[in-house]
């Protein structure tokens, strides 16, 4: 890893890690690299920060530089969930009830999206 920042467990026993160098890596339960989100989806990150995995196994990534939160489903293209209203998103968490929590360090608060 190059500058690991945030880590989240994945439902399959693996984990997801954001890196300072601008990528997010997905590892299997055996700790072997499964994929890079940049390579798998052709997505360009600015500065990926917080990561989490939802109940469907999709990966959510907060991008501090681009001020966005993207969802990366197992199949299909990435989906931008939040593209406005964030100053410096750096932490994300999702609930089983469909809520997305974003820690916005630029505004010193946690924002909740449904």
């Amino acid at each position: 890893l190059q500058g690991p920042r945030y880590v989240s467990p994945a439902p399959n026993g693996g984990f997801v890690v954001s890196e300072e160098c601008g990528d997010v890596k997905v590892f299997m339960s055996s700790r072997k690299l499964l994929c890079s989100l940049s390579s798998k989806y052709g997505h360009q990150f600015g500065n990926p920060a917080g990561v989490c995995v939802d109940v469907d196994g999709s990966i959510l990534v907060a991008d501090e530089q681009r001020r966005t939160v993207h969802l990366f489903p197992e199949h299909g293209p990435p989906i931008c969930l939040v593209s406005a209203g964030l100053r410096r998103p750096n932490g994300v968490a999702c609930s089983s009830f469909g809520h997305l929590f974003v820690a916005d360090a630029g505004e010193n608060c946690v924002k909740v999206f449904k």
Side-chain angles (χ1 to χ4, degrees):
L1 294 170
Q2 296 180 18
R5 296 187 71 200
Y6 292 82
V7 63
S8 175
N12 61 1
F15 58 98
V16 179
V17 181
S18 62
E19 298 178 304
E20 283 185 25
C21 68
D23 203 356
V24 175
K25 304 273 178 71
V26 181
F27 291 86
M28 298 183 297
S29 59
S30 63
R31 296 183 300 277
K32 289 188 179 186
L33 179 65
L34 180 63
C35 71
S36 149
L37 293 188
S38 292
S39 298
K40 180 178 178 178
Y41 293 93
H43 183 83
Q44 188 75 17
F45 291 101
N47 188 19
V51 292
C52 68
V53 180
D54 70 10
V55 294
D56 297 322
S58 296
I59 299 167
L60 291 89
V61 181
D63 192 320
E64 284 182 318
Q65 184 179 9
R66 299 230 161 114
R67 299 178 181 175
T68 60
V69 176
H70 276 79
L71 179 139
F72 295 85
E74 193 170 339
H75 304 288
I79 300 163
C80 184
L81 296 179
V82 184
S83 62
L86 298 174
R87 287 188 51 204
R88 201 174 78 197
N90 60 9
V92 291
C94 45
S95 76
S96 56
F97 299 106
H99 291 93
L100 172 65
F101 302 94
V102 182
D104 190 337
E107 293 188 17
N108 296 314
C109 67
V110 173
K111 297 179 179 179
V112 182
F113 300 89
K114 184 156 174 80

